[in-house]
Amino acid sequence: MSDHTEALCGNEGSTCIIGTPRDCVGEECGSFIPALVFPFLALGIGLFVHPISKKFRVPYTSMLMVIGAILGVLGCSVEMALLTESLKIWAHISPPTLFFYVFLAPLVFETAFNTDAYLFSKLFFQIVYLAFIVVVAQVFLVAVWQLYVIQSPDWTLFTALVFGSMLSATDPISVTATLKELGVSEQLNTLIEGESLLNDGSAVVFYEAFLDAALEGSSSAGSVIVRLLRLSLGGVAMGIAFGLVALCFLAAVYEMFEVEVSMTIVVAFLGFWTAQSPSMLSGVICNVISGVMLSAYGKRLVSPLVRDPLQKIWELLSWLANTIVFVYAGLLVVAYIWSCAGDPLQWFDYVHILTWFAYLNLLRFVLVFLSHPIIRLGNKWYGFKEAAVVSYSGLRGAVTLILALEVGGTGELPSSVRSRVVVWSASIVALTLFVNGSTISTLLHWLGLDVPDPVKEDFLWRARAAMLECTYEILDREAVEEYTKYCSWSTVARTVRLYEIDTGLMNSEGVMPAFGPGKKQRTGSDEKLFAF
């Protein structure tokens, strides 16, 4: 990793300290240690922010962007020795594709690997429609809005299409987490997650094709279409190849934790890099396909003792990547705003952030509701309330940020385009996280979708009550066993009783109403409640 030689926005006289690159070349820059300071600092920030975000129910990634912005202000205004050196390296990271290669692979693969393969297959037609047809419409409508309404200088058709592609990648992680927490329909949750997964692939394919065309300066529609087909179909073929190799390998090993986990990591990173660089295909599509294949067919081949740790490992890798990406985005936005203020960024460019936010939300609502008859085919559970949630869940996240940061480091594009892409994209991501992500639970409550299905709720309560009955029977037996009868069973009884009251399985009078009226109930006076 090396530094760009050009200051942000070409402003060599910027007062932002990290806006100008380090004044050194090659070995003169010293050791690689300064480059490690920022990512580990970002992870340290994440360690403190994560529990706070859980406690106060604030989107984790939003808080990271805010802290990253504060770090950017400090980096621009205060000399902080080794930390300043590290921030300069990351603000002028070269090549710009480095961020794309390192952080995008785990984010895409983790989403694909942990998806519900069964529900995904049931909703495949609707997911594909949202992820391709709707994305195509959105890409071109965003480009039209940029060229004919915003009308910023130096923008061409292809740079506008690049921007539209970036903003078409959704990342509804905070929305889906809320849906799961409130017990909303699993079909709705899978529809939103599946759309996000596939539209990451389609949006990145459009982005790469249009970025190549923008850098070439002139491309015919035919050459762009050929490029799109090569990236997408080639990525599918590469993903199938890596997926099949992984399945054969997992079928040949058993209870080898290190080997089974390492195999998924090799498929995720090597598959992405092989498809993306030497093969000139879509690494994102490759990871989507291989991840879904392993989700559908590979998990049953993974040893039982490895399955849960494997899922947790990939969640951790995704968390690490998200943490660094969002802190970095906040940092870089401030550096760009500081360095580019006045030229090329004007006051109205910041007003356009709100314009873009409103337009993108309106555009998604219109496209989703126009697609309502198609999405509803074979899905009677899907109504206008669900359509409103799908529309509102169009948050932008890590994929949009990574693509914007790559554009920001692409020196062949005008600085006026690069600065607006970075500032607008990161600001839109922040707004969707703060506004949409924070208010989705309110929308669900207003629509009445946070009320659990009464049949499912009754089934779950009966299951929990039955489990407690079994617990009582086991404890009754243990209370008279030779080696356990001297335990403090009164403490055990109080603990179990408190758990029942806390979860609603028993009221304060000691009555367990979970089985419903007319059913057998256990009371606190039951003589069989522990034999001591």
PDB file of all heavy atoms in Angstrom, residues 306-340:
ATOM      1  N   VAL A 306     -18.817 -27.790  13.919  1.00  0.00           N
ATOM      2  CA  VAL A 306     -18.174 -26.664  13.232  1.00  0.00           C
ATOM      3  C   VAL A 306     -19.201 -25.642  12.747  1.00  0.00           C
ATOM      4  O   VAL A 306     -18.872 -24.470  12.557  1.00  0.00           O
ATOM      5  CB  VAL A 306     -17.320 -27.185  12.052  1.00  0.00           C
ATOM      6  CG1 VAL A 306     -16.636 -26.049  11.301  1.00  0.00           C
ATOM      7  CG2 VAL A 306     -16.281 -28.178  12.547  1.00  0.00           C
ATOM      8  N   ARG A 307     -20.445 -26.061  12.559  1.00  0.00           N
ATOM      9  CA  ARG A 307     -21.443 -25.193  11.911  1.00  0.00           C
ATOM     10  C   ARG A 307     -21.639 -23.865  12.633  1.00  0.00           C
ATOM     11  O   ARG A 307     -21.568 -22.797  12.025  1.00  0.00           O
ATOM     12  CB  ARG A 307     -22.780 -25.933  11.814  1.00  0.00           C
ATOM     13  CG  ARG A 307     -22.774 -27.045  10.790  1.00  0.00           C
ATOM     14  CD  ARG A 307     -24.042 -27.869  10.842  1.00  0.00           C
ATOM     15  NE  ARG A 307     -23.901 -29.112  10.096  1.00  0.00           N
ATOM     16  CZ  ARG A 307     -24.724 -30.133  10.187  1.00  0.00           C
ATOM     17  NH1 ARG A 307     -25.769 -30.070  11.006  1.00  0.00           N
ATOM     18  NH2 ARG A 307     -24.526 -31.224   9.478  1.00  0.00           N
ATOM     19  N   ASP A 308     -21.901 -23.933  13.933  1.00  0.00           N
ATOM     20  CA  ASP A 308     -22.160 -22.690  14.662  1.00  0.00           C
ATOM     21  C   ASP A 308     -20.927 -21.799  14.742  1.00  0.00           C
ATOM     22  O   ASP A 308     -21.018 -20.601  14.460  1.00  0.00           O
ATOM     23  CB  ASP A 308     -22.692 -23.010  16.062  1.00  0.00           C
ATOM     24  CG  ASP A 308     -23.137 -21.760  16.802  1.00  0.00           C
ATOM     25  OD1 ASP A 308     -24.033 -21.064  16.287  1.00  0.00           O
ATOM     26  OD2 ASP A 308     -22.578 -21.477  17.881  1.00  0.00           O
ATOM     27  N   PRO A 309     -19.741 -22.339  15.100  1.00  0.00           N
ATOM     28  CA  PRO A 309     -18.548 -21.486  15.084  1.00  0.00           C
ATOM     29  C   PRO A 309     -18.251 -20.898  13.716  1.00  0.00           C
ATOM     30  O   PRO A 309     -17.788 -19.755  13.618  1.00  0.00           O
ATOM     31  CB  PRO A 309     -17.427 -22.447  15.529  1.00  0.00           C
ATOM     32  CG  PRO A 309     -18.117 -23.510  16.291  1.00  0.00           C
ATOM     33  CD  PRO A 309     -19.453 -23.681  15.645  1.00  0.00           C
ATOM     34  N   LEU A 310     -18.507 -21.649  12.650  1.00  0.00           N
ATOM     35  CA  LEU A 310     -18.258 -21.158  11.296  1.00  0.00           C
ATOM     36  C   LEU A 310     -19.125 -19.938  11.002  1.00  0.00           C
ATOM     37  O   LEU A 310     -18.650 -18.928  10.451  1.00  0.00           O
ATOM     38  CB  LEU A 310     -18.542 -22.265  10.278  1.00  0.00           C
ATOM     39  CG  LEU A 310     -18.366 -21.895   8.803  1.00  0.00           C
ATOM     40  CD1 LEU A 310     -16.939 -21.444   8.531  1.00  0.00           C
ATOM     41  CD2 LEU A 310     -18.738 -23.072   7.917  1.00  0.00           C
ATOM     42  N   GLN A 311     -20.397 -20.009  11.376  1.00  0.00           N
ATOM     43  CA  GLN A 311     -21.291 -18.868  11.173  1.00  0.00           C
ATOM     44  C   GLN A 311     -20.805 -17.660  11.967  1.00  0.00           C
ATOM     45  O   GLN A 311     -20.811 -16.529  11.468  1.00  0.00           O
ATOM     46  CB  GLN A 311     -22.713 -19.236  11.588  1.00  0.00           C
ATOM     47  CG  GLN A 311     -23.706 -18.096  11.413  1.00  0.00           C
ATOM     48  CD  GLN A 311     -25.113 -18.510  11.811  1.00  0.00           C
ATOM     49  OE1 GLN A 311     -25.416 -19.688  11.942  1.00  0.00           O
ATOM     50  NE2 GLN A 311     -25.973 -17.530  12.020  1.00  0.00           N
ATOM     51  N   LYS A 312     -20.393 -17.892  13.212  1.00  0.00           N
ATOM     52  CA  LYS A 312     -19.923 -16.791  14.055  1.00  0.00           C
ATOM     53  C   LYS A 312     -18.640 -16.176  13.507  1.00  0.00           C
ATOM     54  O   LYS A 312     -18.448 -14.950  13.580  1.00  0.00           O
ATOM     55  CB  LYS A 312     -19.689 -17.286  15.483  1.00  0.00           C
ATOM     56  CG  LYS A 312     -20.936 -17.786  16.189  1.00  0.00           C
ATOM     57  CD  LYS A 312     -21.992 -16.697  16.301  1.00  0.00           C
ATOM     58  CE  LYS A 312     -23.230 -17.195  17.026  1.00  0.00           C
ATOM     59  NZ  LYS A 312     -24.307 -16.180  17.058  1.00  0.00           N
ATOM     60  N   ILE A 313     -17.770 -17.002  12.953  1.00  0.00           N
ATOM     61  CA  ILE A 313     -16.525 -16.482  12.384  1.00  0.00           C
ATOM     62  C   ILE A 313     -16.815 -15.540  11.222  1.00  0.00           C
ATOM     63  O   ILE A 313     -16.209 -14.464  11.099  1.00  0.00           O
ATOM     64  CB  ILE A 313     -15.609 -17.642  11.948  1.00  0.00           C
ATOM     65  CG1 ILE A 313     -15.000 -18.323  13.183  1.00  0.00           C
ATOM     66  CG2 ILE A 313     -14.506 -17.157  11.001  1.00  0.00           C
ATOM     67  CD1 ILE A 313     -14.248 -19.590  12.883  1.00  0.00           C
ATOM     68  N   TRP A 314     -17.765 -15.934  10.369  1.00  0.00           N
ATOM     69  CA  TRP A 314     -18.083 -15.072   9.233  1.00  0.00           C
ATOM     70  C   TRP A 314     -18.808 -13.802   9.669  1.00  0.00           C
ATOM     71  O   TRP A 314     -18.626 -12.736   9.080  1.00  0.00           O
ATOM     72  CB  TRP A 314     -18.893 -15.852   8.193  1.00  0.00           C
ATOM     73  CG  TRP A 314     -17.967 -16.562   7.264  1.00  0.00           C
ATOM     74  CD1 TRP A 314     -17.704 -17.898   7.212  1.00  0.00           C
ATOM     75  CD2 TRP A 314     -17.118 -15.952   6.284  1.00  0.00           C
ATOM     76  NE1 TRP A 314     -16.749 -18.160   6.265  1.00  0.00           N
ATOM     77  CE2 TRP A 314     -16.376 -16.986   5.674  1.00  0.00           C
ATOM     78  CE3 TRP A 314     -16.914 -14.644   5.868  1.00  0.00           C
ATOM     79  CZ2 TRP A 314     -15.449 -16.739   4.671  1.00  0.00           C
ATOM     80  CZ3 TRP A 314     -15.990 -14.397   4.867  1.00  0.00           C
ATOM     81  CH2 TRP A 314     -15.270 -15.437   4.274  1.00  0.00           C
ATOM     82  N   GLU A 315     -19.619 -13.901  10.699  1.00  0.00           N
ATOM     83  CA  GLU A 315     -20.230 -12.688  11.246  1.00  0.00           C
ATOM     84  C   GLU A 315     -19.160 -11.750  11.801  1.00  0.00           C
ATOM     85  O   GLU A 315     -19.255 -10.534  11.667  1.00  0.00           O
ATOM     86  CB  GLU A 315     -21.240 -13.060  12.335  1.00  0.00           C
ATOM     87  CG  GLU A 315     -22.505 -13.721  11.791  1.00  0.00           C
ATOM     88  CD  GLU A 315     -23.437 -14.174  12.895  1.00  0.00           C
ATOM     89  OE1 GLU A 315     -23.079 -14.021  14.086  1.00  0.00           O
ATOM     90  OE2 GLU A 315     -24.525 -14.692  12.581  1.00  0.00           O
ATOM     91  N   LEU A 316     -18.131 -12.331  12.426  1.00  0.00           N
ATOM     92  CA  LEU A 316     -17.031 -11.518  12.949  1.00  0.00           C
ATOM     93  C   LEU A 316     -16.257 -10.836  11.823  1.00  0.00           C
ATOM     94  O   LEU A 316     -15.942  -9.642  11.899  1.00  0.00           O
ATOM     95  CB  LEU A 316     -16.085 -12.394  13.778  1.00  0.00           C
ATOM     96  CG  LEU A 316     -14.799 -11.708  14.277  1.00  0.00           C
ATOM     97  CD1 LEU A 316     -15.130 -10.549  15.195  1.00  0.00           C
ATOM     98  CD2 LEU A 316     -13.889 -12.712  14.980  1.00  0.00           C
ATOM     99  N   LEU A 317     -15.934 -11.589  10.763  1.00  0.00           N
ATOM    100  CA  LEU A 317     -15.214 -10.996   9.629  1.00  0.00           C
ATOM    101  C   LEU A 317     -16.017  -9.867   8.999  1.00  0.00           C
ATOM    102  O   LEU A 317     -15.461  -8.818   8.630  1.00  0.00           O
ATOM    103  CB  LEU A 317     -14.911 -12.078   8.583  1.00  0.00           C
ATOM    104  CG  LEU A 317     -13.869 -13.132   8.965  1.00  0.00           C
ATOM    105  CD1 LEU A 317     -13.766 -14.203   7.892  1.00  0.00           C
ATOM    106  CD2 LEU A 317     -12.509 -12.485   9.204  1.00  0.00           C
ATOM    107  N   SER A 318     -17.326 -10.054   8.883  1.00  0.00           N
ATOM    108  CA  SER A 318     -18.186  -9.006   8.347  1.00  0.00           C
ATOM    109  C   SER A 318     -18.197  -7.792   9.268  1.00  0.00           C
ATOM    110  O   SER A 318     -18.155  -6.641   8.800  1.00  0.00           O
ATOM    111  CB  SER A 318     -19.614  -9.544   8.174  1.00  0.00           C
ATOM    112  OG  SER A 318     -20.485  -8.524   7.712  1.00  0.00           O
ATOM    113  N   TRP A 319     -18.219  -8.037  10.577  1.00  0.00           N
ATOM    114  CA  TRP A 319     -18.206  -6.937  11.544  1.00  0.00           C
ATOM    115  C   TRP A 319     -16.901  -6.151  11.457  1.00  0.00           C
ATOM    116  O   TRP A 319     -16.901  -4.914  11.492  1.00  0.00           O
ATOM    117  CB  TRP A 319     -18.396  -7.502  12.957  1.00  0.00           C
ATOM    118  CG  TRP A 319     -18.430  -6.455  14.023  1.00  0.00           C
ATOM    119  CD1 TRP A 319     -19.505  -5.727  14.436  1.00  0.00           C
ATOM    120  CD2 TRP A 319     -17.320  -6.007  14.836  1.00  0.00           C
ATOM    121  NE1 TRP A 319     -19.148  -4.860  15.443  1.00  0.00           N
ATOM    122  CE2 TRP A 319     -17.815  -5.016  15.711  1.00  0.00           C
ATOM    123  CE3 TRP A 319     -15.979  -6.365  14.899  1.00  0.00           C
ATOM    124  CZ2 TRP A 319     -17.006  -4.376  16.636  1.00  0.00           C
ATOM    125  CZ3 TRP A 319     -15.167  -5.718  15.823  1.00  0.00           C
ATOM    126  CH2 TRP A 319     -15.677  -4.741  16.672  1.00  0.00           C
ATOM    127  N   LEU A 320     -15.779  -6.854  11.336  1.00  0.00           N
ATOM    128  CA  LEU A 320     -14.487  -6.182  11.225  1.00  0.00           C
ATOM    129  C   LEU A 320     -14.439  -5.297   9.985  1.00  0.00           C
ATOM    130  O   LEU A 320     -13.999  -4.136  10.048  1.00  0.00           O
ATOM    131  CB  LEU A 320     -13.362  -7.220  11.164  1.00  0.00           C
ATOM    132  CG  LEU A 320     -13.131  -8.083  12.417  1.00  0.00           C
ATOM    133  CD1 LEU A 320     -12.082  -9.151  12.133  1.00  0.00           C
ATOM    134  CD2 LEU A 320     -12.717  -7.232  13.595  1.00  0.00           C
ATOM    135  N   ALA A 321     -14.901  -5.834   8.848  1.00  0.00           N
ATOM    136  CA  ALA A 321     -14.881  -5.066   7.601  1.00  0.00           C
ATOM    137  C   ALA A 321     -15.801  -3.858   7.687  1.00  0.00           C
ATOM    138  O   ALA A 321     -15.427  -2.738   7.306  1.00  0.00           O
ATOM    139  CB  ALA A 321     -15.294  -5.965   6.430  1.00  0.00           C
ATOM    140  N   ASN A 322     -17.022  -4.056   8.194  1.00  0.00           N
ATOM    141  CA  ASN A 322     -17.966  -2.944   8.326  1.00  0.00           C
ATOM    142  C   ASN A 322     -17.416  -1.856   9.234  1.00  0.00           C
ATOM    143  O   ASN A 322     -17.563  -0.657   8.952  1.00  0.00           O
ATOM    144  CB  ASN A 322     -19.300  -3.455   8.888  1.00  0.00           C
ATOM    145  CG  ASN A 322     -20.300  -3.769   7.796  1.00  0.00           C
ATOM    146  OD1 ASN A 322     -20.509  -2.975   6.880  1.00  0.00           O
ATOM    147  ND2 ASN A 322     -20.923  -4.931   7.877  1.00  0.00           N
ATOM    148  N   THR A 323     -16.795  -2.249  10.338  1.00  0.00           N
ATOM    149  CA  THR A 323     -16.270  -1.272  11.297  1.00  0.00           C
ATOM    150  C   THR A 323     -15.226  -0.376  10.653  1.00  0.00           C
ATOM    151  O   THR A 323     -15.293   0.861  10.747  1.00  0.00           O
ATOM    152  CB  THR A 323     -15.676  -1.991  12.516  1.00  0.00           C
ATOM    153  OG1 THR A 323     -16.706  -2.775  13.150  1.00  0.00           O
ATOM    154  CG2 THR A 323     -15.123  -0.994  13.518  1.00  0.00           C
ATOM    155  N   ILE A 324     -14.259  -0.971   9.976  1.00  0.00           N
ATOM    156  CA  ILE A 324     -13.197  -0.176   9.345  1.00  0.00           C
ATOM    157  C   ILE A 324     -13.753   0.682   8.217  1.00  0.00           C
ATOM    158  O   ILE A 324     -13.394   1.867   8.087  1.00  0.00           O
ATOM    159  CB  ILE A 324     -12.078  -1.104   8.829  1.00  0.00           C
ATOM    160  CG1 ILE A 324     -11.408  -1.822  10.011  1.00  0.00           C
ATOM    161  CG2 ILE A 324     -11.044  -0.316   8.038  1.00  0.00           C
ATOM    162  CD1 ILE A 324     -10.387  -2.857   9.601  1.00  0.00           C
ATOM    163  N   VAL A 325     -14.660   0.126   7.411  1.00  0.00           N
ATOM    164  CA  VAL A 325     -15.214   0.862   6.265  1.00  0.00           C
ATOM    165  C   VAL A 325     -15.966   2.104   6.721  1.00  0.00           C
ATOM    166  O   VAL A 325     -15.785   3.206   6.166  1.00  0.00           O
ATOM    167  CB  VAL A 325     -16.134  -0.053   5.433  1.00  0.00           C
ATOM    168  CG1 VAL A 325     -16.976   0.777   4.459  1.00  0.00           C
ATOM    169  CG2 VAL A 325     -15.312  -1.071   4.666  1.00  0.00           C
ATOM    170  N   PHE A 326     -16.806   1.985   7.739  1.00  0.00           N
ATOM    171  CA  PHE A 326     -17.638   3.120   8.129  1.00  0.00           C
ATOM    172  C   PHE A 326     -16.848   4.192   8.871  1.00  0.00           C
ATOM    173  O   PHE A 326     -17.122   5.384   8.716  1.00  0.00           O
ATOM    174  CB  PHE A 326     -18.835   2.639   8.957  1.00  0.00           C
ATOM    175  CG  PHE A 326     -19.954   2.103   8.123  1.00  0.00           C
ATOM    176  CD1 PHE A 326     -20.024   0.766   7.794  1.00  0.00           C
ATOM    177  CD2 PHE A 326     -20.944   2.953   7.638  1.00  0.00           C
ATOM    178  CE1 PHE A 326     -21.046   0.264   7.008  1.00  0.00           C
ATOM    179  CE2 PHE A 326     -21.971   2.471   6.845  1.00  0.00           C
ATOM    180  CZ  PHE A 326     -22.033   1.130   6.528  1.00  0.00           C
ATOM    181  N   VAL A 327     -15.878   3.799   9.685  1.00  0.00           N
ATOM    182  CA  VAL A 327     -15.018   4.812  10.316  1.00  0.00           C
ATOM    183  C   VAL A 327     -14.216   5.538   9.236  1.00  0.00           C
ATOM    184  O   VAL A 327     -14.086   6.779   9.263  1.00  0.00           O
ATOM    185  CB  VAL A 327     -14.080   4.168  11.349  1.00  0.00           C
ATOM    186  CG1 VAL A 327     -13.098   5.210  11.895  1.00  0.00           C
ATOM    187  CG2 VAL A 327     -14.879   3.571  12.497  1.00  0.00           C
ATOM    188  N   TYR A 328     -13.699   4.784   8.286  1.00  0.00           N
ATOM    189  CA  TYR A 328     -12.922   5.381   7.194  1.00  0.00           C
ATOM    190  C   TYR A 328     -13.769   6.326   6.347  1.00  0.00           C
ATOM    191  O   TYR A 328     -13.295   7.384   5.926  1.00  0.00           O
ATOM    192  CB  TYR A 328     -12.347   4.258   6.331  1.00  0.00           C
ATOM    193  CG  TYR A 328     -11.497   4.734   5.177  1.00  0.00           C
ATOM    194  CD1 TYR A 328     -10.345   5.468   5.392  1.00  0.00           C
ATOM    195  CD2 TYR A 328     -11.844   4.435   3.860  1.00  0.00           C
ATOM    196  CE1 TYR A 328      -9.552   5.890   4.335  1.00  0.00           C
ATOM    197  CE2 TYR A 328     -11.075   4.845   2.795  1.00  0.00           C
ATOM    198  CZ  TYR A 328      -9.923   5.578   3.038  1.00  0.00           C
ATOM    199  OH  TYR A 328      -9.152   6.009   1.999  1.00  0.00           O
ATOM    200  N   ALA A 329     -15.012   5.958   6.106  1.00  0.00           N
ATOM    201  CA  ALA A 329     -15.901   6.811   5.308  1.00  0.00           C
ATOM    202  C   ALA A 329     -16.124   8.152   5.994  1.00  0.00           C
ATOM    203  O   ALA A 329     -16.069   9.211   5.349  1.00  0.00           O
ATOM    204  CB  ALA A 329     -17.227   6.101   5.078  1.00  0.00           C
ATOM    205  N   GLY A 330     -16.399   8.119   7.307  1.00  0.00           N
ATOM    206  CA  GLY A 330     -16.571   9.377   8.030  1.00  0.00           C
ATOM    207  C   GLY A 330     -15.333  10.235   7.981  1.00  0.00           C
ATOM    208  O   GLY A 330     -15.401  11.462   7.793  1.00  0.00           O
ATOM    209  N   LEU A 331     -14.167   9.604   8.133  1.00  0.00           N
ATOM    210  CA  LEU A 331     -12.891  10.318   8.061  1.00  0.00           C
ATOM    211  C   LEU A 331     -12.693  10.970   6.707  1.00  0.00           C
ATOM    212  O   LEU A 331     -12.360  12.170   6.608  1.00  0.00           O
ATOM    213  CB  LEU A 331     -11.760   9.322   8.338  1.00  0.00           C
ATOM    214  CG  LEU A 331     -10.337   9.756   7.972  1.00  0.00           C
ATOM    215  CD1 LEU A 331      -9.814  10.726   9.006  1.00  0.00           C
ATOM    216  CD2 LEU A 331      -9.412   8.540   7.863  1.00  0.00           C
ATOM    217  N   LEU A 332     -12.915  10.210   5.629  1.00  0.00           N
ATOM    218  CA  LEU A 332     -12.633  10.711   4.284  1.00  0.00           C
ATOM    219  C   LEU A 332     -13.615  11.789   3.851  1.00  0.00           C
ATOM    220  O   LEU A 332     -13.246  12.714   3.124  1.00  0.00           O
ATOM    221  CB  LEU A 332     -12.646   9.544   3.286  1.00  0.00           C
ATOM    222  CG  LEU A 332     -11.836   9.778   2.004  1.00  0.00           C
ATOM    223  CD1 LEU A 332     -10.359   9.956   2.347  1.00  0.00           C
ATOM    224  CD2 LEU A 332     -12.005   8.630   1.038  1.00  0.00           C
ATOM    225  N   VAL A 333     -14.870  11.695   4.284  1.00  0.00           N
ATOM    226  CA  VAL A 333     -15.851  12.727   3.929  1.00  0.00           C
ATOM    227  C   VAL A 333     -15.410  14.083   4.469  1.00  0.00           C
ATOM    228  O   VAL A 333     -15.446  15.097   3.765  1.00  0.00           O
ATOM    229  CB  VAL A 333     -17.246  12.357   4.463  1.00  0.00           C
ATOM    230  CG1 VAL A 333     -18.174  13.556   4.399  1.00  0.00           C
ATOM    231  CG2 VAL A 333     -17.845  11.230   3.646  1.00  0.00           C
ATOM    232  N   VAL A 334     -14.978  14.103   5.719  1.00  0.00           N
ATOM    233  CA  VAL A 334     -14.510  15.367   6.312  1.00  0.00           C
ATOM    234  C   VAL A 334     -13.279  15.879   5.572  1.00  0.00           C
ATOM    235  O   VAL A 334     -13.161  17.083   5.292  1.00  0.00           O
ATOM    236  CB  VAL A 334     -14.211  15.176   7.812  1.00  0.00           C
ATOM    237  CG1 VAL A 334     -13.499  16.397   8.377  1.00  0.00           C
ATOM    238  CG2 VAL A 334     -15.494  14.924   8.576  1.00  0.00           C
ATOM    239  N   ALA A 335     -12.361  14.968   5.244  1.00  0.00           N
ATOM    240  CA  ALA A 335     -11.153  15.378   4.526  1.00  0.00           C
ATOM    241  C   ALA A 335     -11.499  15.982   3.168  1.00  0.00           C
ATOM    242  O   ALA A 335     -10.907  17.002   2.766  1.00  0.00           O
ATOM    243  CB  ALA A 335     -10.221  14.182   4.350  1.00  0.00           C
ATOM    244  N   TYR A 336     -12.468  15.400   2.469  1.00  0.00           N
ATOM    245  CA  TYR A 336     -12.891  15.941   1.176  1.00  0.00           C
ATOM    246  C   TYR A 336     -13.612  17.274   1.333  1.00  0.00           C
ATOM    247  O   TYR A 336     -13.371  18.225   0.582  1.00  0.00           O
ATOM    248  CB  TYR A 336     -13.789  14.936   0.445  1.00  0.00           C
ATOM    249  CG  TYR A 336     -13.038  14.059  -0.526  1.00  0.00           C
ATOM    250  CD1 TYR A 336     -12.588  12.799  -0.162  1.00  0.00           C
ATOM    251  CD2 TYR A 336     -12.777  14.493  -1.819  1.00  0.00           C
ATOM    252  CE1 TYR A 336     -11.894  11.993  -1.050  1.00  0.00           C
ATOM    253  CE2 TYR A 336     -12.085  13.693  -2.716  1.00  0.00           C
ATOM    254  CZ  TYR A 336     -11.643  12.446  -2.330  1.00  0.00           C
ATOM    255  OH  TYR A 336     -10.943  11.663  -3.216  1.00  0.00           O
ATOM    256  N   ILE A 337     -14.538  17.352   2.296  1.00  0.00           N
ATOM    257  CA  ILE A 337     -15.273  18.597   2.501  1.00  0.00           C
ATOM    258  C   ILE A 337     -14.314  19.732   2.851  1.00  0.00           C
ATOM    259  O   ILE A 337     -14.421  20.853   2.337  1.00  0.00           O
ATOM    260  CB  ILE A 337     -16.331  18.423   3.610  1.00  0.00           C
ATOM    261  CG1 ILE A 337     -17.451  17.486   3.124  1.00  0.00           C
ATOM    262  CG2 ILE A 337     -16.926  19.765   4.024  1.00  0.00           C
ATOM    263  CD1 ILE A 337     -18.480  17.152   4.188  1.00  0.00           C
ATOM    264  N   TRP A 338     -13.342  19.441   3.720  1.00  0.00           N
ATOM    265  CA  TRP A 338     -12.374  20.450   4.150  1.00  0.00           C
ATOM    266  C   TRP A 338     -11.479  20.879   2.984  1.00  0.00           C
ATOM    267  O   TRP A 338     -11.235  22.064   2.769  1.00  0.00           O
ATOM    268  CB  TRP A 338     -11.547  19.874   5.288  1.00  0.00           C
ATOM    269  CG  TRP A 338     -10.747  20.878   6.070  1.00  0.00           C
ATOM    270  CD1 TRP A 338      -9.850  21.792   5.579  1.00  0.00           C
ATOM    271  CD2 TRP A 338     -10.752  21.047   7.499  1.00  0.00           C
ATOM    272  NE1 TRP A 338      -9.294  22.514   6.600  1.00  0.00           N
ATOM    273  CE2 TRP A 338      -9.827  22.088   7.793  1.00  0.00           C
ATOM    274  CE3 TRP A 338     -11.421  20.424   8.537  1.00  0.00           C
ATOM    275  CZ2 TRP A 338      -9.577  22.499   9.098  1.00  0.00           C
ATOM    276  CZ3 TRP A 338     -11.168  20.830   9.839  1.00  0.00           C
ATOM    277  CH2 TRP A 338     -10.262  21.857  10.110  1.00  0.00           C
ATOM    278  N   SER A 339     -10.980  19.888   2.239  1.00  0.00           N
ATOM    279  CA  SER A 339     -10.021  20.183   1.170  1.00  0.00           C
ATOM    280  C   SER A 339     -10.673  20.766  -0.071  1.00  0.00           C
ATOM    281  O   SER A 339     -10.035  21.529  -0.814  1.00  0.00           O
ATOM    282  CB  SER A 339      -9.256  18.904   0.797  1.00  0.00           C
ATOM    283  OG  SER A 339      -8.570  18.363   1.900  1.00  0.00           O
ATOM    284  N   CYS A 340     -11.920  20.397  -0.326  1.00  0.00           N
ATOM    285  CA  CYS A 340     -12.577  20.787  -1.582  1.00  0.00           C
ATOM    286  C   CYS A 340     -13.538  21.965  -1.413  1.00  0.00           C
ATOM    287  O   CYS A 340     -14.224  22.340  -2.371  1.00  0.00           O
ATOM    288  CB  CYS A 340     -13.338  19.603  -2.171  1.00  0.00           C
ATOM    289  SG  CYS A 340     -12.335  18.112  -2.387  1.00  0.00           S
TER     290      CYS A 340
END
